[in-house]
Amino acid sequence: ALSMRLSLPATQVIPGVGGAPLVALTEGRISEVTYWQCVLERTHWPITAQELSAGVRHIFRQPMPGMPELVLSLRRHRLVLFSDQAREWWEDIAETHAFLRVFEQRFLSFAMGQTKRHVGTFQRVLAELGGVPHNCIFIDDLQWNVERAEGVGIRSHRFTSTAALMAFLTQEGLWSPAAEAS
C-alpha cells in the first residue's frame, strides 16, 4: 500500500521503513512518532508521519483471510504469540482483533526490550515458557526468524499463506478440517 501511495517499488520502500529505527521502535526504545520522523528524515518521502501511521494501522486492521478461524480452531493447544511489534501498533491490533485473546501468553518485543533478531530472544521465550524446543512449533513470515528458531531446536514453518499453514499443521497432526468445523 505504501509503495502504491509513493509510486515507488517495494524494493525501495522496504529499506526506508526498516533498519535501526524499526529495531528501536520494536524494542520499545523510541515512540512511533519518533520512528516516523526518522523514516521521513532518511527518505524525504512526500508523505506525513500521520499518513504513514494511519496507513500502517489500516494494514494491521485487515485480518489475513482465514486466520481468525484457524487460530480459534487451534485453541485446544497451548498458543503463544511471539511478535516483533511496536507498543502503539500492538494496542491498535489487540483492540481490533478479538481472536488474538485466545493466545495464552504474549511475548511482544517492545515489552521484552528485544526482538527476534537475536537467538537469545528465542531462548528467553523458551525459558519463560518452561518449554522444550522440540515440543514447540514456531510460525513466522520471515525466513530469518524461522532459521533462528530452528537454530535453537524449535520446529518451524515459514508462513506464506493460510492454506500452506493448514497443510503444515495437518502434517504435524495439530489441525484438521474437522477441527475447524467444531
Side-chain angles (χ1 to χ4, degrees):
L2 184 54
S3 295
M4 289 176 19
R5 165 65 177 79
L6 296 171
S7 299
L8 293 170
T11 55
Q12 289 181 15
V13 172
I14 291 170
V17 296
L22 182 61
V23 173
L25 174 68
T26 57
E27 288 181 346
R29 293 184 283 117
I30 63 172
S31 70
E32 180 187 15
V33 170
T34 301
Y35 165 71
W36 289 127
Q37 289 169 345
C38 290
V39 167
L40 292 173
E41 286 170 12
R42 180 171 57 186
T43 63
H44 305 287
W45 289 335
I47 191 170
T48 67
Q50 293 79 11
E51 289 175 290
L52 288 166
S53 179
V56 164
R57 280 171 175 69
H58 175 75
I59 292 165
F60 285 154
R61 289 177 183 155
Q62 310 306 310
M64 181 68 61
M67 283 305 295
E69 298 82 6
L70 176 59
V71 168
L72 290 171
S73 75
L74 292 167
R75 66 183 145 219
R76 63 187 165 97
H77 302 288
R78 183 178 186 194
L79 300 177
V80 174
L81 182 70
F82 180 19
S83 181
D84 286 349
Q85 195 55 254
R87 179 180 312 276
E88 297 91 339
W89 296 345
W90 174 253
E91 290 168 356
D92 194 66
I93 290 166
E95 184 178 311
T96 303
H97 300 293
F99 77 93
L100 294 174
R101 293 186 192 114
V102 76
F103 288 93
E104 178 182 318
Q105 285 180 270
R106 293 175 188 92
F107 293 90
L108 303 167
S109 62
F110 70 83
M112 296 174 66
Q114 63 190 96
T115 66
K116 293 181 271 187
R117 298 169 77 87
H118 308 286
V119 171
T121 309
F122 289 87
Q123 294 164 330
R124 176 179 171 185
V125 168
L126 281 170
E128 289 189 35
L129 290 172
V132 179
H134 69 271
N135 289 335
C136 301
I137 293 180
F138 175 74
I139 300 158
D140 199 280
D141 62 333
L142 299 176
Q143 183 60 37
W144 52 83
N145 288 338
V146 167
E147 291 167 4
R148 286 186 195 102
E150 289 172 345
V152 297
I154 301 171
R155 290 178 297 161
S156 300
H157 173 77
R158 180 168 178 237
F159 180 87
T160 56
S161 71
T162 304
L165 177 56
M166 289 174 177
F168 170 78
L169 293 172
T170 299
Q171 176 185 330
E172 293 290 322
L174 299 170
W175 184 85
S176 71
E180 185 172 15
S182 59

